[in-house]
Amino acid sequence: MKRTGFDTMSSFAYPFYTILHPKDGFQEMKFNKKDSLVVNFVIVAAWLFVEVFYRVAMDFDMNPFVYTDVSLLRVAVITVMVYGMLCVSNWCFCTLLDGKGKLKEIFMVTAYALVPYIIVRFVTVLLSMVMLNDEQILLNYCVLLAQLWGFVMAFTGLSEIHEYGFKKTLLSLVLTAIGVIIMLFISLMLIMLFQQVYKFVTTVAIELAY
């Protein structure tokens, strides 16, 4: 049944509501149509920004990427690719398992589940500038808790939009992970193939030029 009291809530405020009320929040998202693609893109863009911000602004002694060149394009490709693969893989397998969720709703649930990590990661980067190195473990625990809560949100959200029970939701997540691994393997093979083709074409072109 469609509930009342959520129609006046801003679509941009809704992701923060789902952090504290994941079950009710995702139910209302499905029934009251709070699934805004604009909010979805903003969250993914914020995730990309936080990943770059983490790599360039984290305290020197706490930054695992301090000796690595930060490429915005590389970070963008990795984040968007992982996000897209998770959503598409879940949609493919849940369609076979009679899931009721649409691809758009899966995109929204996955994006909403990123919000705790985005907030905590941004805050921990700022705190790393004033905290001692010995206190780094506290920041790591905060990020871990945010990731765990994001998983709980994703689990709850997928359960609601697909109308699954606990076991079927867990099965769908396992299949989703397998699907992502398969996609990554195929992508890696295609990249290697294109590299070989490019190298062959370049070699032939150089020989013809000579």
Side-chain angles (χ1 to χ4, degrees), residues 23-48:
K23 185 175 179 63
D24 291 339
F26 287 120
Q27 283 181 348
E28 296 302 329
M29 185 193 76
K30 187 176 181 68
F31 293 121
N32 280 334
K33 304 301 179 183
K34 288 293 181 180
D35 46 346
S36 169
L37 287 178
V38 175
V39 175
N40 186 32
F41 291 134
V42 169
I43 294 175
V44 175
W47 181 32
L48 173 59

Side-chain angles (χ1 to χ4, degrees), residues 57-202:
M58 192 74 174
D59 181 79
F60 183 86
D61 294 326
M62 303 180 185
N63 192 343
F65 301 97
V66 67
Y67 297 111
T68 306
D69 292 332
V70 178
S71 172
L72 178 60
L73 178 61
R74 184 188 306 167
V75 176
V77 169
I78 292 175
T79 53
V80 173
M81 182 176 66
V82 171
Y83 173 75
M85 285 183 176
L86 283 171
C87 297
V88 172
S89 178
N90 183 263
W91 176 71
C92 291
F93 283 108
C94 289
T95 299
L96 298 176
L97 296 174
D98 298 325
K100 303 299 190 296
K102 302 176 182 178
L103 182 59
K104 177 184 176 182
E105 294 172 340
I106 297 173
F107 275 117
M108 294 304 304
V109 168
T110 309
Y112 283 18
L114 289 171
V115 175
Y117 170 78
I118 294 171
I119 296 173
V120 173
R121 174 61 80 186
F122 181 77
V123 173
T124 54
V125 172
L126 296 179
L127 290 177
S128 71
M129 302 176 184
V130 297
M131 295 180 69
L132 300 175
N133 294 339
D134 295 338
E135 298 171 326
Q136 179 183 0
I137 189 171
L138 296 177
L139 301 182
N140 294 336
Y141 278 132
C142 290
V143 174
L144 178 60
L145 289 175
Q147 292 172 336
L148 291 175
W149 187 245
F151 176 79
V152 172
M153 289 180 62
F155 188 94
T156 305
L158 294 174
S159 175
E160 292 297 330
I161 65 171
H162 290 305
E163 299 181 16
Y164 284 166
F166 179 86
K167 292 182 179 180
K168 203 167 186 179
T169 304
L170 186 61
L171 174 62
S172 69
L173 289 178
V174 172
L175 292 175
T176 298
I178 295 175
V180 171
I181 294 173
I182 294 174
M183 289 181 183
L184 288 173
F185 176 76
I186 294 176
S187 299
L188 180 61
M189 296 299 294
L190 288 175
I191 291 173
M192 294 175 61
L193 176 62
F194 286 138
Q195 287 178 339
Q196 293 295 325
V197 172
Y198 174 77
K199 184 177 179 180
F200 172 76
V201 172
T202 303

